[in-house]
């Protein structure tokens, strides 16, 4: 036993210490010797700052990846569309029997919208309590006119949710007994050709060769509330630029004109299915659910609808002109695709690595600059202090 002890072959030499040395022998990243390291006073502070910045940026990237990214892509509309659905809900300050509603498109077809749409007698005061705003030519004008509920583009999920909800117009408020109605609500959906056209509301006996009784000019009042004006499938829960707007006038002969540019729009969360569709396939009309009649081709997470931009012009006209509400719409030959997409997990990992690496590199540079600045400031302080001591000793020697 003494021989083994002298040669250090006891059991203690085969413990954890020797095992650690064996592991260190296979370490591919040798460590710096403690004598070569130098601890700084700001290193811990910078470590905490970089750690917090990395956590915040990582969390931001994860939130952005989870929410997805909304993209807007413009392209020439593919296929051929024939039909266009128009949804209207407007209240005019005149009696129903005194109004005519018609649609005439560029192909020459004239649609008697008054027969397809519903007309309900109502009171003007029942429609002034809702949140409405005037339509100005610029955003600043709408703000100066105390506009409420200004139009904002809906999210992709709003359209997808609206495609599965009810698609009915709300009921007209009842007129109390013994109270004469002073307005008319015109609402419903009509099908027209997908070409440029005019939609207008005029007075009886004016604008067309009507055989009815000529209406007294004193009863003209084309003040109106637009509750709904949309093209394509009817989604009551969505807001369009002309929805909840109103325009009033004190004159009998007044003309309101709206110029609308309609853009076919696709909302989807499955953009890959759109890319797989045959580009040369004919584009049929939209159904009630906003999907074209190819259920095998298009995903349920895709909605086909239309957006539009509108400008307004209103002015008083002479007795020889035709007063009324005129809407001129034009179909743009482009198609807007609004898609919500999510990146893959590998791309998310690459972005996180880039973000964290950028923070560490930038933090390293900031740390080196701060250390250099601190060292430079310390040298200047020591120099000024040293010169002062020598100068003091030199004065004492001269005094002696």
């Amino acid at each position: 036993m003494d021989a083994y002890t002298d040669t250090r072959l006891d059991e203690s030499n085969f413990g954890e210490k020797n095992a650690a040395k064996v592991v260190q022998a296979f370490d591919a990243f040798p460590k710096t010797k403690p004598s070569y390291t130098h601890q700084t006073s700001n290193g811990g502070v910078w470590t905490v700052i970089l750690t917090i910045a990395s956590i915040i940026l990582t969390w931001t990237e994860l939130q952005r990846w989870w929410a997805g990214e909304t993209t807007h892509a413009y392209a020439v509309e593919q296929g051929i569309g024939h039909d266009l659905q128009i949804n209207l809900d407007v209240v005019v300050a005149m009696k129903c029997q005194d109004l005519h509603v018609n649609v005439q498109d560029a192909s020459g077809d004239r649609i008697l919208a008054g027969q397809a749409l519903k007309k309900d007698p109502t009171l003007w005061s029942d429609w002034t309590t809702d949140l409405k705003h005037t339509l100005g030519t610029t955003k600043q004008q709408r703000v100066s006119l105390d506009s409420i509920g200004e139009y904002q583009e809906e999210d992709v999920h709003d359209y997808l949710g609206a495609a599965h909800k009810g698609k009915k117009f709300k009921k007209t408020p009842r007129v109390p007994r013994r109270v004469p109605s002073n307005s008319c609500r015109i609402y419903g959906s009509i099908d027209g050709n997908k070409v440029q056209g005019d939609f207008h509301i005029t007075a009886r006996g004016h604008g067309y060769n009507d055989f009815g009784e000529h209406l007294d000019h004193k009863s003209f009042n084309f003040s109106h509330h637009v509750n709904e004006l949309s093209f394509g499938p009817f989604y009551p829960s969505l807001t369009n630029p002309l929805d909840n707007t109103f325009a009033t006038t004190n004159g009998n002969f007044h003309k309101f004109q709206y110029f609308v540019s309609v853009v076919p729009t696709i909302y989807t969360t499955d953009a890959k299915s759109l890319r797989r569709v045959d580009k040369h396939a004919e584009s049929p009309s939209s159904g009630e659910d906003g999907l074209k009649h190819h259920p095998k081709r298009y995903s349920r997470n895709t909605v086909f609808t239309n957006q539009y931009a509108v400008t307004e012009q209103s002015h008083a006209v002479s007795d020889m002109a035709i007063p009324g509400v005129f809407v001129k719409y034009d179909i743009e030959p482009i198609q807007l695709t609004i898609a919500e997409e999510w990146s893959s997990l590998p791309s998310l990992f690459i972005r996180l690595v880039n973000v964290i690496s950028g923070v560490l590199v930038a933090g390293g540079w900031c740390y080196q600059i701060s250390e250099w600045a601190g060292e430079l400031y310390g040298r200047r302080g020591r120099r000024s202090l040293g010169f002062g001591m020598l100068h003091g000793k030199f004065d004492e020697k001269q005094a002696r």
Side-chain angles (χ1 to χ4, degrees):
M1 293 296 293
D2 295 336
Y4 284 102
T5 304
D6 294 339
T7 56
R8 298 179 181 180
L9 296 177
D10 57 348
E11 294 181 358
S12 62
N13 290 327
F14 297 93
E16 297 179 356
K17 294 183 179 180
N18 288 341
K21 292 181 180 179
V22 173
V23 174
Q24 290 179 359
F26 292 96
D27 190 357
F29 303 97
K31 306 299 185 293
T32 304
K33 294 182 178 181
S35 59
Y36 295 160
T37 60
H38 173 67
Q39 295 183 355
T40 60
S41 58
N42 297 328
V45 176
W46 278 103
T47 301
V48 174
I49 293 175
L50 294 181
T51 302
I52 295 175
S54 299
I55 293 174
I56 293 175
L57 293 178
T58 301
W59 179 253
T60 303
E61 289 294 331
L62 290 175
Q63 284 184 327
R64 184 181 302 175
W65 175 81
W66 181 262
E69 182 181 3
T70 302
T71 59
H72 295 70
Y74 290 91
V76 177
E77 187 178 11
Q78 301 173 1
I80 301 174
H82 300 283
D83 301 328
L84 179 65
Q85 179 176 312
I86 303 175
N87 310 298
L88 178 69
D89 186 357
V90 61
V91 179
V92 184
M94 293 177 62
K95 294 182 179 181
C96 293
Q97 61 270 22
D98 296 337
L99 293 175
H100 273 305
V101 186
N102 294 280
V103 177
Q104 186 172 5
D105 54 40
S107 63
D109 292 345
R110 176 184 170 186
I111 303 174
L112 297 178
Q115 299 177 3
L117 300 176
K118 297 181 180 180
K119 294 182 180 180
D120 291 343
T122 184
L123 297 177
W124 180 261
S125 58
D126 291 340
W127 303 93
T128 57
T129 57
D130 297 335
L131 298 179
K132 297 182 182 296
H133 62 278
T134 56
L135 183 67
T137 56
T138 63
K139 182 177 180 180
Q140 186 64 29
Q141 291 180 356
R142 292 194 293 271
V143 173
S144 63
L145 291 173
D146 297 330
S147 62
I148 302 176
E150 187 177 348
Y151 166 75
Q152 295 181 354
E153 184 180 356
E154 305 286 350
D155 188 72
V156 175
H157 295 280
D158 295 332
Y159 277 90
L160 296 178
H164 305 289
K165 292 182 180 179
K167 303 174 181 63
K168 296 182 179 180
F169 291 89
K170 64 179 182 180
K171 296 182 179 180
T172 305
R174 293 184 179 181
V175 179
R177 294 182 179 180
R178 300 180 181 178
V179 177
S181 61
N182 56 6
S183 302
C184 180
R185 182 195 178 195
I186 306 170
Y187 64 100
S189 300
I190 56 177
D191 295 326
N193 299 319
K194 195 175 181 180
V195 294
Q196 179 183 355
D198 295 297
F199 179 89
H200 34 262
I201 302 174
T202 57
R204 174 168 52 88
H206 294 76
Y208 295 97
N209 296 324
D210 297 322
F211 297 99
E213 180 182 357
H214 188 75
L215 187 63
D216 187 8
H217 293 172
K218 294 182 180 180
S219 62
F220 288 178
N221 188 355
F222 286 98
S223 300
H224 58 277
H225 289 272
V226 180
N227 303 317
E228 173 76 26
L229 179 62
S230 60
F231 299 86
F234 175 51
Y235 302 134
S237 59
L238 301 178
T239 303
N240 295 280
L242 272 177
D243 291 358
N244 301 323
T245 60
F246 71 92
T248 58
T249 178
N250 295 324
N252 300 120
F253 279 82
H254 206 92
K255 188 175 185 178
F256 297 93
Q257 293 178 298
Y258 298 98
F259 303 92
V260 178
S261 296
V262 182
V263 178
T265 308
I266 301 175
Y267 289 89
T268 182
T269 57
D270 190 8
K272 295 181 180 179
S273 64
L274 294 177
R275 303 188 185 103
R276 292 193 296 265
V277 174
D278 185 9
K279 296 182 180 180
H280 301 285
E282 183 179 358
S283 176
S285 59
S286 300
E288 294 181 356
D289 58 351
L291 295 175
K292 295 186 179 181
H293 299 162
H294 289 304
K296 295 182 179 180
R297 281 185 169 181
Y298 295 99
S299 170
R300 296 290 298 179
N301 295 327
T302 302
V303 172
F304 293 80
T305 182
N306 297 274
Q307 286 187 328
Y308 65 86
V310 58
T311 56
E312 180 266 347
Q313 182 182 8
S314 61
H315 55 87
V317 295
S318 63
D319 297 346
M320 302 300 296
I322 302 174
V325 180
F326 299 86
V327 180
K328 183 176 182 180
Y329 57 90
D330 191 9
I331 312 299
E332 300 295 337
I334 60 175
Q335 180 174 278
L336 172 62
T337 301
I338 302 177
E340 190 173 74
E341 299 179 304
W342 291 266
S343 58
S344 60
L345 289 176
S347 62
L348 173 64
F349 177 75
I350 294 174
R351 293 182 65 175
L352 291 178
V353 170
N354 292 335
V355 168
I356 296 176
S357 301
V359 170
L360 296 179
V361 171
W365 280 101
C366 293
Y367 166 73
Q368 293 180 6
I369 293 174
S370 64
E371 288 294 321
W372 174 78
E375 184 179 356
L376 182 61
Y377 180 77
R379 289 179 181 178
R380 290 184 177 179
R382 288 193 297 269
R383 287 177 182 177
S384 61
L385 182 60
F387 286 136
M389 293 175 63
L390 292 174
H391 184 68
K393 292 180 179 180
F394 181 75
D395 291 342
E396 291 180 358
K397 291 180 179 180
Q398 286 184 348
R400 291 179 181 176

